[in-house]
Amino acid sequence: MTPLSAAAVYIGINILLLFFLSFRVVGRRRSAKVSLGTGGDADLEIRTRAHANAAEYIPVTMIGLFVMTQFAAPLWVIHAVGGMFTTGRSLHAFGLSTTFLPARALGMVLTWLGMLAAGIGVIWLAVA
């Protein structure tokens, strides 16, 4: 496996996570008959925030992961950053969707660590 193919796996998983979260929002919108906003529906609010939170964090970090591959980051670095971030995003989505706060908190920490590692990695590889 090359660093690029490893990054592609993490990018693909995160795209599927966004799709799944989006699908949950649309399903709840249809059943609650809410076209715009959340209409005061607590479950729709939770689903919307879970999706929006993922949409806020995933794109920029996946771009960072891809850029790292273009600067020849080692495979283990791509797996460390991609794995940490993707695990974090999955845990956060699960925790926020089910109100299981330990998963949400750990997911956010792993998300931030993965994001931080991608940001530092891109800069490090660019100037090294």
Side-chain angles (χ1 to χ4, degrees):
M1 177 173 271
T2 67
L4 181 58
S5 60
V9 168
Y10 295 113
I11 292 167
I13 291 169
N14 280 278
I15 289 169
L16 293 176
L17 178 60
L18 273 169
F19 176 81
F20 172 75
L21 293 171
S22 175
F23 191 77
R24 292 185 75 236
V25 170
V26 171
R28 183 62 191 162
R29 280 192 187 287
R30 295 180 101 197
S31 66
K33 296 182 179 20
V34 175
S35 170
L36 186 62
T38 60
D41 184 284
D43 189 39
L44 181 55
E45 178 71 30
I46 290 168
R47 291 177 185 210
T48 300
R49 277 311 311 149
H51 176 261
N53 189 275
E56 293 161 358
Y57 285 94
I58 289 173
V60 68
T61 306
M62 293 298 100
I63 290 169
L65 194 66
F66 172 76
V67 169
M68 289 172 66
T69 69
Q70 301 309 292
F71 282 106
L75 179 61
W76 72 267
V77 170
I78 300 302
H79 279 302
V81 173
M84 183 170 21
F85 180 82
T86 301
T87 300
R89 287 288 78 212
S90 299
L91 283 172
H92 186 268
F94 172 76
L96 185 56
S97 297
T98 63
T99 66
F100 182 63
L101 294 181
R104 182 180 177 189
L106 178 59
M108 208 59 240
V109 169
L110 291 174
T111 294
W112 285 336
L113 290 173
M115 193 174 201
L116 182 63
I120 291 170
V122 166
I123 294 168
W124 179 269
L125 291 164
V127 298

